[in-house]
Amino acid sequence: MKFIRSFFKLIFSRVFLVSFLLLIQIILLITFVFSWQYNEWFSALYSFLYVLGGFLIVKVICDKSNPSYKIAWIIPILVFPVFGSLAYLIFGKSALSRKTKNKLSGIEQRMKTEFSHVPNISPAIRSDEPHAANQSDYIKNFAYCPPHSGTYTEYLASGEIKWLKMLDELEKAERFIFLEYFIIEDGKMWSSILEILERKASQGVDVRLIFDDMGCIQILPFGYEKTLEKKGIKTGVFNPYKPVLVGSMNNRDHRKICVIDGIAGFTGGINLADEYINAVEKHGHWKDTSIFIKGPAVWNLTVMFLSMWDYIKGTNEDYTRFRPNKEAFADIKAMGVVQPFSDSPFDEEPVGETVYINLISKARDYVYITTPYLIVGNELLTALSNAAKSGVDVRIITPHVADKKIVHITTRSYYRQLIESGVKIYEYTPGFIHAKTFVVDDVYAVVGTINLDYRSLYLHFECATWLYKTDSVLSVKDDFFKTLDECMEYTLEMCNRQSIFSKFIASLCRLFAPLM
């Protein structure tokens, strides 16, 4: 009886129905192509698609995208010119309408405008450390997000710590609460947050929520945004999952942002679901991290949220209404520079990847990284290898328990090359590590949502916080070593023990990794 209920729940779920409609479109497309083989024009159609495939290969080669991504598409187009070409036309490149391009361009300009009043501390950073100023200036110039001083940061080493801290800060809200998350799921964590949001909304606090439809499609009921609206929570859904074969479905809002009154904020890898606080077990013990920010740098998170809100809702908010008074930060005493930033898949500028490469290439003593996925292009792979070969202590922690088997196989396919270069690889044996952190030379750190895989670096909206000489930098390092105590080092001998078949599968996965 339980099986029958589960079966009917599955087939009547939105994800099943939409996927079924997509499958029908794929079948109809295949049927249409093959039906032409009995038509006198079939040879002409086939020739046209072959020629189209040639043009597409030239287009892919000339494109600005990552070389690994190019190769992953060139092979199927060459081997299967008809269906490879059609697949690339649908999924290979997000074709934005002129209206959407203008909309995004307007949002970029709006971000620049809203950050124009922020005091310029770049000269002060440069006088302290030119390399730090170069990294900060890159973020400011290409992500439009400026650096801030006088901002308190606290590194939160687990989902449980972040959850309790977030509940405490939400209770302090008087003006507004902004939440933007990839995943929201009913349970202990979300219900405790929702109770506060509903209560605050009833008290006149402006409460807004953005969630990604793909991230929540299997765990939230259809029309959940209407339920939240009835509770007084203004809600936006990013890129709703539709039964249409379009490449834009590749682009997701993977950001995690919480802003309270423009004074306090959170970002990091932690979504609002129970596995993140280990209230339920999913892939063993779930290790994740976050950063708490209090001070002027929260303005970056506020503008990020409002720009996404304007994009989804088609509004033109007055951002100045959400700018806190300087008096709110009068008592904050903090060292260092804090620079929250965002990364868009539509500006052809790989901000997240470049920030990571800058950190690696400027490292003098060490680079310590935690990431759930290690599926990198040649640029990052070369940067990591060169740093290790130059004597920099490069260590990477990845999960031992996989959340996606094929992705885990692909991650391990990079181990040999990195280990041979001197990089030390460790796997978190208690379960799954979802944290995305970099810490370098006791000076720099990045905590955010940006994974080391193609989707995160090129296809998703992401965010993170770049830290320079803050107390939280050393907290990231301390947590890395505490986590290391629960890890197993992956050695070259372990790579050699893999069977020929396993190595072949791993190489095949790695070849098509950019399309995963």
Side-chain angles (χ1 to χ4, degrees):
M1 195 68 182
K2 185 179 179 181
F3 171 78
I4 295 174
R5 283 199 302 269
S6 300
F7 175 74
F8 278 103
K9 184 178 179 180
L10 172 66
I11 64 172
F12 287 109
S13 67
R14 185 161 68 101
V15 66
F16 179 86
L17 294 173
V18 173
S19 300
F20 180 70
L21 291 172
L22 289 174
L23 180 62
I24 289 176
Q25 292 176 63
I26 293 170
I27 292 172
L28 288 174
L29 185 62
I30 295 172
T31 303
F32 171 77
V33 172
F34 277 111
S35 68
W36 274 71
Q37 64 181 311
Y38 304 111
N39 191 294
E40 58 182 315
W41 295 101
F42 178 71
S43 59
L45 173 66
Y46 215 70
S47 299
F48 169 75
L49 290 173
Y50 259 92
V51 172
L52 176 63
F55 278 113
L56 289 177
I57 288 173
V58 173
K59 179 184 181 300
V60 172
I61 292 172
C62 296
D63 197 61
K64 293 180 180 179
S65 58
N66 185 282
S68 301
Y69 183 70
K70 294 180 181 182
I71 294 170
W73 273 113
I74 288 172
I75 291 174
I77 293 173
L78 281 173
V79 177
F80 307 105
V82 176
F83 294 106
S85 298
L86 291 173
Y88 178 79
L89 288 173
I90 296 170
F91 300 111
K93 193 78 173 177
S94 294
L96 301 177
S97 67
R98 180 171 296 181
K99 181 180 178 181
T100 303
K101 286 180 179 178
N102 291 336
K103 191 176 178 182
L104 287 167
S105 177
I107 289 172
E108 288 179 4
Q109 188 57 48
R110 184 69 183 276
M111 288 184 69
K112 293 178 185 178
T113 301
E114 296 302 331
F115 287 133
S116 61
H117 77 283
V118 174
N120 182 17
I121 66 168
S122 296
I125 302 173
R126 188 165 298 281
S127 65
D128 183 62
E129 174 54 68
H131 289 315
N134 291 342
Q135 294 184 53
S136 177
D137 285 348
Y138 169 77
I139 296 170
K140 183 173 67 174
N141 294 334
F142 291 93
Y144 319 120
C145 299
H148 298 262
S149 59
T151 297
Y152 169 80
T153 57
E154 183 180 343
Y155 176 70
L156 309 175
S158 72
E160 294 89 325
I161 296 172
K162 187 261 177 112
W163 172 45
L164 296 177
K165 182 76 174 178
M166 188 173 169
L167 292 178
D168 184 53
E169 293 298 323
L170 288 172
E171 290 285 6
K172 300 175 185 177
E174 297 178 353
R175 296 175 56 223
F176 64 88
I177 296 171
F178 295 159
L179 300 175
E180 181 179 342
Y181 283 86
F182 180 62
I183 292 173
I184 294 171
E185 184 175 9
D186 188 34
K188 183 178 181 180
M189 186 183 193
W190 174 237
S191 62
S192 64
I193 292 170
L194 182 59
E195 187 277 324
I196 298 175
L197 299 182
E198 189 174 359
R199 175 160 40 84
K200 288 293 181 178
S202 68
Q203 294 169 1
V205 175
D206 185 354
V207 181
R208 307 188 191 191
L209 169 70
I210 295 172
F211 66 84
D212 185 272
D213 196 43
M214 183 72 79
C216 299
I217 192 168
Q218 297 188 66
I219 52 181
L220 288 182
F222 180 61
Y224 188 66
E225 64 275 14
K226 295 177 182 177
T227 301
L228 293 175
E229 291 277 358
K230 291 178 181 177
K231 296 177 181 292
I233 301 167
K234 302 171 187 175
T235 308
V237 182
F238 180 85
N239 204 1
Y241 187 41
K242 298 175 182 177
V244 182
L245 289 173
V246 289
S248 61
M249 286 295 105
N250 275 326
N251 305 121
R252 310 312 317 175
D253 182 2
H254 193 244
R255 307 194 307 192
K256 292 93 181 172
I257 293 173
C258 173
V259 178
I260 298 104
D261 291 344
I263 298 171
F266 298 83
T267 189
I270 301 165
N271 282 297
L272 307 183
D274 280 357
E275 64 266 28
Y276 292 86
I277 59 171
N278 289 290
V280 297
E281 184 173 305
K282 191 174 184 180
H283 317 302
H285 185 272
W286 194 288
K287 164 69 175 174
D288 213 333
T289 60
S290 184
I291 189 84
F292 170 66
I293 305 169
K294 188 172 184 180
V298 176
W299 180 241
N300 289 26
L301 295 177
T302 305
V303 172
M304 286 181 216
F305 177 90
L306 288 171
S307 64
M308 183 62 77
W309 185 267
D310 280 347
Y311 176 70
I312 293 171
K313 294 290 193 177
T315 54
N316 186 24
E317 290 284 348
D318 178 7
Y319 290 17
T320 59
R321 293 194 303 114
F322 305 100
R323 191 181 298 163
N325 296 322
K326 291 182 180 179
E327 291 74 22
F329 309 133
D331 296 332
I332 297 176
K333 307 296 180 185
M335 300 292 291
V337 177
V338 182
Q339 192 167 12
F341 65 92
S342 60
D343 192 4
S344 166
F346 296 135
D347 59 7
E348 297 187 339
E349 181 63 38
V351 172
E353 182 182 46
T354 305
V355 168
Y356 286 162
I357 289 174
N358 284 342
L359 286 167
I360 297 164
S361 61
K362 297 295 190 300
R364 298 171 183 172
D365 299 318
Y366 73 82
V367 178
Y368 299 152
I369 301 167
T370 60
T371 180
Y373 315 116
L374 185 61
I375 305 174
V376 292
N378 185 63
E379 294 84 354
L380 267 168
L381 192 63
T382 301
L384 289 165
S385 298
N386 286 346
K389 289 175 182 178
S390 301
V392 176
D393 181 13
V394 182
R395 306 189 195 191
I396 304 173
I397 297 176
T398 64
H400 183 67
V401 178
D403 68 330
K404 304 177 184 71
K405 189 66 176 177
I406 192 167
V407 174
H408 194 57
I409 291 171
T410 309
T411 288
R412 283 182 167 177
S413 72
Y414 289 85
Y415 286 2
R416 174 183 290 277
Q417 185 175 345
L418 289 168
I419 292 170
E420 287 177 341
S421 298
V423 177
K424 296 177 182 177
I425 306 289
Y426 302 85
E427 289 190 348
Y428 180 67
T429 53
F432 186 69
I433 189 162
H434 191 253
K436 311 95 166 46
T437 64
F438 270 61
V439 60
V440 179
D441 294 346
D442 290 358
V443 176
Y444 306 101
V446 170
V447 181
T449 70
I450 310 170
N451 294 317
L452 288 176
D453 68 347
Y454 188 87
R455 286 198 161 275
S456 202
L457 296 172
Y458 293 94
L459 295 177
H460 292 165
F461 284 90
E462 302 281 1
C463 66
T465 299
W466 182 84
L467 305 163
Y468 173 65
K469 289 188 175 180
T470 65
D471 292 337
S472 54
V473 170
L474 294 180
S475 298
V476 179
K477 180 185 179 182
D478 290 344
D479 183 52
F480 183 89
F481 278 101
K482 287 178 183 176
T483 306
L484 210 59
D485 290 337
E486 300 181 273
C487 293
M488 166 194 73
E489 185 173 2
Y490 209 95
T491 63
L492 199 58
E493 183 184 353
M494 295 168 74
C495 293
N496 292 332
R497 286 205 297 263
Q498 292 180 333
S499 66
I500 294 176
F501 179 73
S502 296
K503 291 178 182 178
F504 171 74
I505 294 298
S507 298
L508 197 63
C509 290
R510 181 169 168 176
L511 182 63
F512 294 102
L515 306 185
M516 290 181 181

